[in-house]
Amino acid sequence: MKNEGLIGVFKYLDDLVGALEVIRRNELKIQSVYSPVRSHEVLDALGLKSSPVRYFTLVGAILGIATGFGLATYTALQWKFIVSGKPPVPRVPYVIIAFEFCILLGVFWNLASMWAKSRLPRLGLPPSYDPRFSRDRFGVMVLCSESDREKVMDILTQAGAEEVHAANG
């Protein structure tokens, strides 16, 4: 089986969600879901796991805090800034520097992980894409073998698909 399957075009979101649930129950492979708007119902029907981007952001923030304290401490010890008998490494003022580095590196790690997880850049549209999916229609591409093609076609038409056609994707 190559990347061949069927595309179902739906007019209503509820029909698409119903089709996704039936497809998942039958343990068929959903390649892509197209929608003109973001929908939590679709995400729930797909049963996707949460993204690991938040953990990368946390790692970046923790590294930022360590970098902020480390850089400020290194600078104070290297240049021996001793003022009026205060400690050479005052921790309280370094909290501001650590906070700024926390935000800076947290944002950089967040952007880098989002870029990597979304598989950017995508230079072209997939062959299964239909321009109607950006206007007013919903779509799902289901990967299936020749033996499952009839079963998938029945599932999509019974769920309310306006049209079902073959596509390579």
Side-chain angles (χ1 to χ4, degrees):
M1 176 175 74
K2 296 180 208 168
N3 240 2
E4 296 179 358
L6 294 173
I7 295 180
V9 180
F10 295 87
K11 184 174 184 177
Y12 300 108
L13 175 64
D14 295 337
D15 293 341
L16 173 69
V17 171
L20 292 175
E21 290 170 353
V22 172
I23 290 167
R24 282 196 59 222
R25 271 197 305 268
N26 287 307
E27 297 177 357
L28 296 166
K29 173 81 170 118
I30 298 171
Q31 171 74 22
S32 300
V33 177
Y34 301 103
S35 174
V37 294
R38 180 178 170 90
S39 170
H40 291 287
E41 291 90 356
V42 171
L43 295 175
D44 292 341
L46 289 172
L48 299 175
K49 299 175 187 169
S50 61
S51 172
V53 170
R54 59 185 169 182
Y55 299 116
F56 287 103
T57 305
L58 177 64
V59 168
I62 291 170
L63 286 175
I65 291 170
T67 302
F69 274 117
L71 182 64
T73 302
Y74 171 76
T75 305
L77 293 176
Q78 182 69 26
W79 292 94
K80 297 178 179 50
F81 291 137
I82 300 174
V83 180
S84 302
K86 293 181 181 169
V89 182
R91 289 187 285 283
V92 174
Y94 292 176
V95 170
I96 296 169
I97 298 166
F99 173 75
E100 295 297 334
F101 270 92
C102 169
I103 299 299
L104 180 69
L105 291 185
V107 166
F108 284 155
W109 278 64
N110 180 282
L111 291 175
S113 62
M114 283 192 311
W115 186 72
K117 288 299 292 177
S118 63
R119 298 182 302 266
L120 289 175
R122 181 177 276 176
L123 300 176
L125 292 172
S128 61
Y129 179 77
D130 186 336
R132 295 179 292 175
F133 297 150
S134 291
R135 288 192 305 260
D136 61 349
R137 295 293 187 261
F138 302 90
V140 60
M141 179 172 177
V142 182
L143 296 180
C144 59
S145 62
E146 285 295 327
S147 60
D148 289 336
R149 195 172 283 269
E150 198 65 39
K151 177 182 174 183
V152 172
M153 190 173 288
D154 288 341
I155 290 172
L156 293 174
T157 53
Q158 288 176 3
E162 289 181 334
E163 65 181 78
V164 178
H165 58 273
N168 297 328

